Amino acid sequence: LESPKVSDSEMERYASQKNVLEAVLRAIPMKRRFMKHYPIVRNIVANPRSPLDVSLTLIKNLLPNDLKNISANKDVSETVRKLALKMFKQKLETSGKK
């Protein structure tokens, strides 16, 4: 993670791997460089090994379509699924009012 040679696509792959250490998934959001890339954020939230506090913090940045997919994903924590469904419904209501 500390190496400047790590590319964004490599980090995207790390964020989606199910056998990566929790410490790595916790350290990725600490790097601002990686949090600028939406696929990395999406993969961290969708990763079942991702720490709950990290997922709950990053979930607010997801698009409605990804929230819908995560709310139906049985691999992620039930807390993350419920929050994703709640946020999906909220975003649908706000987009419908405009």
Side-chain angles (χ1 to χ4, degrees):
L1 289 178
E2 299 300 324
S3 172
K5 291 184 178 182
V6 176
S7 70
D8 297 332
S9 61
E10 285 178 308
M11 197 52 61
E12 188 178 334
R13 194 174 48 232
Y14 290 141
S16 66
Q17 288 180 342
K18 290 176 177 58
N19 62 349
V20 73
L21 292 175
E22 230 180 81
V24 173
L25 292 172
R26 192 176 289 281
I28 293 172
M30 301 295 183
K31 300 290 182 189
R32 191 167 178 216
R33 167 182 155 211
F34 298 128
M35 288 299 92
K36 291 180 181 180
H37 298 281
Y38 181 78
I40 296 173
V41 174
R42 182 191 58 220
N43 288 347
I44 290 174
V45 174
N47 192 329
R49 296 277 313 257
S50 183
L52 192 58
D53 60 327
V54 172
S55 294
L56 295 178
T57 304
L58 295 176
I59 200 167
K60 66 182 179 286
N61 301 323
L62 297 182
L63 296 173
N65 192 33
D66 291 321
L67 288 170
K68 181 180 176 187
N69 292 338
I70 288 174
S71 68
N73 186 348
K74 297 288 184 188
D75 289 338
V76 296
S77 148
E78 186 175 345
T79 308
V80 174
R81 280 195 316 244
K82 285 182 179 179
L83 184 61
L85 183 60
K86 180 180 173 184
M87 292 181 76
F88 173 68
K89 289 178 180 178
Q90 283 178 346
K91 288 190 179 191
L92 278 183
E93 287 176 8
T94 57
S95 66
K97 290 180 182 178
K98 290 182 180 179

